[in-house]
Amino acid sequence: MKRLKAVVGLLFVLVVLAPFALFASGQDEGSETVKIGISFGTLQQERWTREREMMEAYAEELGGIEILVQSADSDATMQNRQAENLITQGVDVLIVIPQDAEASGVIVEDAHAAGIPVIAYDRMINNSDVDIYVSFDSVKVGELMSEYAIRNAPTGNYVILKGGPTDNNAHLVYEGNMNVLQQYVDGGDIEIVSDQWCENWSPEEALQHTENALTANNNDVQAIVTGWDGLAGAAIQALAAERLAGDVVVTGQDADLSACQAIVEGTQTMTVYKPLSDLARAGVETALALAKGEQIEYSGTVNNGFKDVPAVLPEIFAVDATNMVDVIIDGGFHSMEAVYANVPRDQWPE
Ligand code: BGC
């Protein structure tokens, strides 16, 4: 009898209590934590370091998230290796800012083979089965720049400085540029006298291209449409050497601090502001939802050559000296002190 009781007792423990023990262990803190791997093409440009901090801060605020970051210093091969490493570390979901839109396709294959969903963050991974695209509308970025340039330089010679040719966004921005400019080229109002790529978004190349364009055209250039504030800064440097800074329309994107300063000082004309905190939050929220298998709200789809990728696309804004305070400073992106640092205090806006 005693032995029977012992056997029944053991069975009770195994059959009735064991599942609770397993369940309880599934609820402990460690296994509840969602591990998000983030693979940056580079962290050497202002926006990406800010986004890393924003994503980490937001994850901290939400709790229960561990973030693992890798950055590839603009080297696509290194990025693939680093992503492989994140996959081996058992992340639940992978956020990729690809250096190379094509070469990063293997990251998606490898992650999927390990059952890990992938988010293309800001930059598309082309011809791949990527799960979701969290970005801004880069064609619209290019259109905003060109519309602004045409309003301020309706005739004359244009220089175009495109970003890195392996970055899908550089192509989209250019597509947007030409959506607006082509009709003015065809109508004979403007002439594009130089149209160049800048490898890995290199400001050094942008400087070289601008110097060459100025020399070849005897400094007769009315607008420089650049794909990013870092390229705009280089163009302004070339203009300044010819005492032309402030006389030529110069566009950019990202609202980097130095660009916002140049805008209120009058040497850069405009930038396209993309609210990075909206994107960073969307990135973390989407990653969480994917990891937990929850429904995600998309704004639309974007084709990447393989499929229509569900996309989350926050709004963007053209910024010049007239709305710097409203959009950038009141929006909390940069402080008044930082943007107007080189402007005498009595000339600061109210
Ligand atoms: C991003 C831009 C950024 C550029 C250079 C692009 O893919 O969309 O915001 O300025 O890369 O890093």
Side-chain angles (χ1 to χ4, degrees):
M1 190 65 190
K2 244 187 186 169
R3 181 177 282 175
L4 187 65
K5 266 190 182 164
V7 171
V8 169
L10 186 64
L11 275 177
F12 178 79
V13 168
L14 283 178
V15 178
V16 180
L17 294 183
F20 281 108
L22 281 179
F23 180 72
S25 82
Q27 295 293 301
D28 73 17
E29 245 190 35
S31 57
E32 246 196 6
T33 301
V34 173
K35 263 192 187 179
I36 303 177
I38 311 180
S39 167
F40 284 91
T42 179
L43 276 172
Q44 283 164 348
Q45 294 159 2
E46 185 174 315
R47 72 163 282 189
W48 307 116
T49 48
R50 290 192 76 176
E51 266 153 295
R52 174 197 179 153
E53 285 160 18
M54 286 168 178
M55 286 197 262
E56 285 174 340
Y58 188 47
E60 176 92 36
E61 190 186 317
L62 294 176
I65 302 173
E66 185 190 349
I67 292 205
L68 285 76
V69 172
Q70 298 268 17
S71 170
D73 294 338
S74 303
D75 178 339
T77 313
M78 190 196 290
Q79 181 166 35
N80 287 1
R81 266 205 312 276
Q82 291 180 335
E84 193 57 54
N85 181 264
L86 289 169
I87 292 167
T88 313
Q89 289 186 60
V91 294
D92 296 298
V93 52
L94 198 52
I95 296 179
V96 181
I97 300 95
Q99 184 63 28
D100 187 314
E102 301 290 336
S104 51
V106 297
I107 298 178
V108 178
E109 284 170 23
D110 292 349
H112 282 181
I116 300 166
V118 180
I119 299 171
Y121 183 91
D122 192 78
R123 300 173 173 174
M124 183 60 97
I125 301 174
N126 286 342
N127 298 308
S128 76
D129 193 18
V130 65
D131 295 271
I132 181 158
Y133 180 47
V134 175
S135 184
F136 298 100
D137 181 346
S138 287
V139 175
K140 182 146 181 236
V141 170
E143 289 171 350
L144 289 178
M145 291 169 177
S146 290
E147 281 162 6
Y148 197 97
I150 280 293
R151 269 203 306 278
N152 291 275
T155 58
N157 290 338
Y158 270 58
V159 170
I160 301 188
L161 294 171
K162 297 173 283 199
T166 64
D167 179 354
N168 190 56
N169 285 350
H171 296 265
L172 298 178
V173 169
Y174 182 59
E175 184 184 327
N177 286 155
M178 295 314 293
N179 283 349
V180 174
L181 296 182
Q182 192 60 53
Q183 57 189 302
Y184 298 96
V185 173
D186 295 343
D189 300 304
I190 66 166
E191 188 184 343
I192 296 173
V193 294
S194 169
D195 182 341
Q196 300 280 351
W197 295 100
C198 302
E199 203 67 47
N200 287 329
W201 299 87
S202 157
E204 291 74 24
E205 285 192 21
L207 178 65
Q208 194 72 56
H209 293 319
T210 313
E211 286 171 353
N212 293 346
L214 289 172
T215 306
N217 293 280
N218 296 318
N219 285 351
D220 184 19
V221 167
Q222 281 63 48
I224 307 182
V225 176
T226 88
W228 164 50
D229 288 337
L231 308 181
I236 292 165
Q237 193 185 327
L239 289 170
E242 298 297 316
R243 299 183 183 278
L244 288 173
D247 296 345
V248 176
V249 170
V250 178
T251 75
Q253 76 160 317
D254 281 2
D256 282 351
L257 179 57
S258 56
C260 292
Q261 290 171 336
I263 289 173
V264 300
E265 290 157 27
T267 54
Q268 184 167 330
T269 321
M270 67 85 73
T271 186
V272 178
Y273 168 57
K274 309 193 291 190
L276 301 183
S277 58
D278 289 354
L279 200 69
R281 288 176 93 90
V284 172
E285 275 163 13
T286 310
L288 264 188
L290 278 177
K292 294 181 173 171
E294 290 168 2
Q295 199 81 35
I296 296 163
E297 274 189 40
Y298 315 125
S299 343
T301 61
V302 174
N303 193 281
N304 75 342
F306 175 77
K307 68 175 191 184
D308 289 330
V309 185
V312 178
L313 302 163
E315 227 193 310
I316 58 175
F317 307 87
V319 173
D320 65 2
T322 65
N323 62 353
M324 183 65 69
V325 172
D326 284 355
V327 179
I328 298 296
I329 292 166
D330 291 351
F333 194 63
H334 296 303
S335 68
M336 177 82 90
E337 288 68 23
V339 172
Y340 286 87
N342 311 317
V343 175
R345 228 187 154 94
D346 60 356
Q347 289 167 34
W348 287 18
E350 300 289 293

